[in-house]
Amino acid sequence: MIPNNLNTVKFLWHNSVMTTYHHGDLQQSLVSQAAHDIALGGSQSISLRHVATEVGVSASAAYHHFADKQALLDAVASDVIGQLGLAMAQALARIPGDDNASAIARFEALGQVYLTFAQENPNLFLHAFGPNCTHDQPVDSAAFDALVAALDDLDSRGLVRPGIRVGLENVVWSSVHGLSMLTITGLVDPATHAEYLAVMRKLVLA
Amino acid sequence: MIPNNLNTVKFLWHNSVMTTYHHGDLQQSLVSQAAHDIALGGSQSISLRHVATEVGVSASAAYHHFADKQALLDAVASDVIGQLGLAMAQALARIPGDDNASAIARFEALGQVYLTFAQENPNLFLHAFGPNCTHDQPVDSAAFDALVAALDDLDSRGLVRPGIRVGLENVVWSSVHGLSMLTITGLVDPATHAEYLAVMRKLVLA
DNA sequence: TGTACATCAGTGAACGCGCGTTCACTGATGTAC
DNA sequence: TGTACATCAGTGAACGCGCGTTCACTGATGTAC
């Protein structure tokens, strides 16, 4: 892309010296690096000093962007939950059909993406939904909203078993979330997932 | 209880000087104190030195009983899972009836106890099922076995919806476990639990 | 456009801390004869 | 039953470490005139 005005030029130049002095987007860089560290070693092992050093900045610089270490950890948790929501949205976009089969496929894809995300990013998943980051206020609920919409869609098509729609989203979410947790921590064998999904299908669908 | 032989006398006396030199049961004391500390502050905050000090023993004494700090943490996790299994067994014992209603009540009690245990001991629950203590080998599965037995009992009475028995235990466990996790971390409101249980009943029972 | 100045976003040294773990030791306990 | 000895289960000092956080500072950036 060719810069077409001074602001753009300046911005690009600014990016190119991001590591020189004023960093450009140190806040986001710290979050990304912290997420990377957590992904590798779990949230127990993370150190603000280490994250700052890896980003190429002194530890004290972080305090211009985060009140304390916990604030950085919270930002990572938000980021992870955002990524999960994004992955789910992308999965939905891949199944645009308006027929019943597509509606079912979307519903199943949501669960599948959730489970896959947890398995591929166990430490980040555990961080976002674990002991740290107890969620006092409602989290960005893109993922949950998508589930509710998918269930409503199924229900409006008469594909949900009669009489179970109310509160079903909590049961489904709990179930997939629990399976994710138990799989990550080694208590459920991933080989049983197919069977699990088959049972869920029978339980929910008409 | 009156001591009736020399061994008993010796044992009782031994107990009475537990804090003097040889401790008596330092291993169990350390596990109990560690569990207490985790219950209060979460597994992040625990320190082997602090646990030892609270028990009234030098930190190095712990190394006669545990290879390292992680071994102590693992022992706590086992202990917690054992407690959960015990609580479930006790709940079953309170509902001894042989009729259908009792069988259903037992099944529901298992889920209720699991959920209650998690809510009453959030930090211990998170420790046992969380990032620490990744379970490489199968855990003592008293709790899971009880669930399987309860489902088999329901099924043999024809109370489980036809065609869903196979693999159902994993779905139920995942669901209750997930609800426990999400409740502890503040993502599900305990006020919705009744609705949740009503849906579960409709999903599972004939 | 240039200049004076406020603000922003870094630096690096230092503080103070508690931690896990090791080590040489010693007193208590158990055992063989 | 007494005694000699091995083993067990403690002690306490020390090592070395990395951590979160603060502070006075300074150079870069943005802005008002």
Side-chain angles (χ1 to χ4, degrees), chain A residues 2-56:
Chain A
I2 298 171
N4 56 0
N5 64 37
L6 273 182
N7 278 339
T8 309
V9 171
K10 190 174 175 190
F11 178 72
L12 290 177
W13 172 81
H14 197 93
N15 266 347
S16 74
V17 290
M18 267 174 57
T19 53
T20 317
Y21 198 85
H22 282 193
H23 184 282
D25 197 2
L26 181 54
Q27 178 150 353
Q28 185 52 48
S29 297
L30 289 170
V31 171
S32 299
Q33 185 64 50
H36 181 251
D37 286 10
I38 289 175
L40 287 183
S43 53
Q44 309 270 2
S45 74
I46 204 177
S47 133
L48 184 147
R49 292 175 89 112
H50 187 229
V51 170
T53 301
E54 284 174 311
V55 165

Side-chain angles (χ1 to χ4, degrees), chain B residues 1-18:
Chain B
M1 190 210 272
I2 297 172
N4 56 1
N5 64 37
L6 272 183
N7 279 338
T8 309
V9 171
K10 190 175 176 189
F11 178 74
L12 290 177
W13 173 82
H14 197 94
N15 266 347
S16 75
V17 290
M18 266 173 59

